[in-house]
Amino acid sequence: VICNPAQIIITSGSQQALYLLSTVLLDPGDSAWVESPGYRGTFASLHAAQAKVCYVPVDQNGLDVAYAKRHYPNAKLAAVTPSHHLPLGMTMSLQRRLDLLAWAKAHSAWVIEDDYDSEYRYSGAPLASLQSLDQNDCVAYVGTMSKVLFPGLRLGYMVLPQALVAPITQAK
């Protein structure tokens, strides 16, 4: 992850980060891509923001970006777990990561990268995060300390594009 300290916002777990991002980045009725199957906490945050949740299938390469573009072309946001898909466990391929970022750029959309298990790896070297590949400041990186410290702390964080720091700080 590439950032300066001013881009880091501490939250009460990753769930608060997902909620804040959903409510700040989306207007009621806006469409958002989510992985199917996926993390129910993401679905809940998007429903709380009154977003139209667009379920996108995943395969061995992660979120099927081509499917999402065909079926939900007007989405304003994509929420993904590219490092370790929840619950299936695959890693989003580099090509899919690049496709997702190209879509976000072309549509002035946001991407929430939920890296819920941080540095844990089960096999192979990690791929670059979406946030580190992002050349257009459209990725909000969400993490938590629940797996590496203590789940009861409910300690999470966001690494935000500079343009989101003030609105998210105000919302928090």
Side-chain angles (χ1 to χ4, degrees):
V1 174
I2 301 166
C3 69
N4 65 58
Q7 292 175 267
I8 302 168
I9 306 292
I10 303 301
T11 60
S12 299
S14 63
Q15 193 61 50
Q16 183 186 39
L18 294 170
Y19 174 79
L20 287 167
L21 288 165
S22 296
T23 56
V24 169
L25 298 178
L26 297 171
D27 291 325
D30 282 348
S31 295
W33 297 351
V34 295
E35 298 163 319
S36 180
Y39 176 48
R40 292 188 318 197
T42 301
F43 307 157
S45 293
L46 292 168
H47 284 296
Q50 300 176 30
K52 178 184 176 200
V53 178
C54 303
Y55 297 95
V56 179
V58 295
D59 60 22
Q60 70 276 7
N61 293 308
L63 180 92
D64 188 339
V65 176
Y67 176 96
K69 290 192 304 189
R70 277 192 315 275
H71 290 85
Y72 312 111
N74 299 319
K76 304 283 187 209
L77 181 143
V80 294
T81 54
S83 295
H84 185 234
H85 179 269
L86 182 68
L88 301 178
M90 80 284 282
T91 300
M92 183 184 282
S93 69
L94 179 59
Q95 186 58 55
R96 288 270 176 93
R97 291 168 193 245
L98 296 174
D99 291 347
L100 181 60
L101 291 172
W103 165 80
K105 177 183 178 183
H107 292 86
S108 299
W110 296 100
V111 176
I112 297 174
E113 178 177 15
D114 183 357
D115 191 11
Y116 66 92
D117 64 358
S118 187
E119 297 287 322
Y120 283 145
R121 293 291 300 161
Y122 301 100
S123 65
L127 291 172
S129 67
L130 286 167
Q131 191 272 351
S132 70
L133 296 170
D134 179 19
Q135 300 295 308
N136 300 295
D137 291 330
C138 64
V139 176
Y141 183 90
V142 174
T144 179
M145 300 297 178
S146 293
K147 300 262 195 273
V148 294
L149 286 176
F150 182 67
L153 288 177
R154 303 296 307 152
L155 183 60
Y157 60 93
M158 295 179 275
V159 177
L160 300 173
Q162 196 61 48
L164 292 181
V165 172
I168 294 291
T169 300
Q170 185 176 9
K172 186 173 186 286

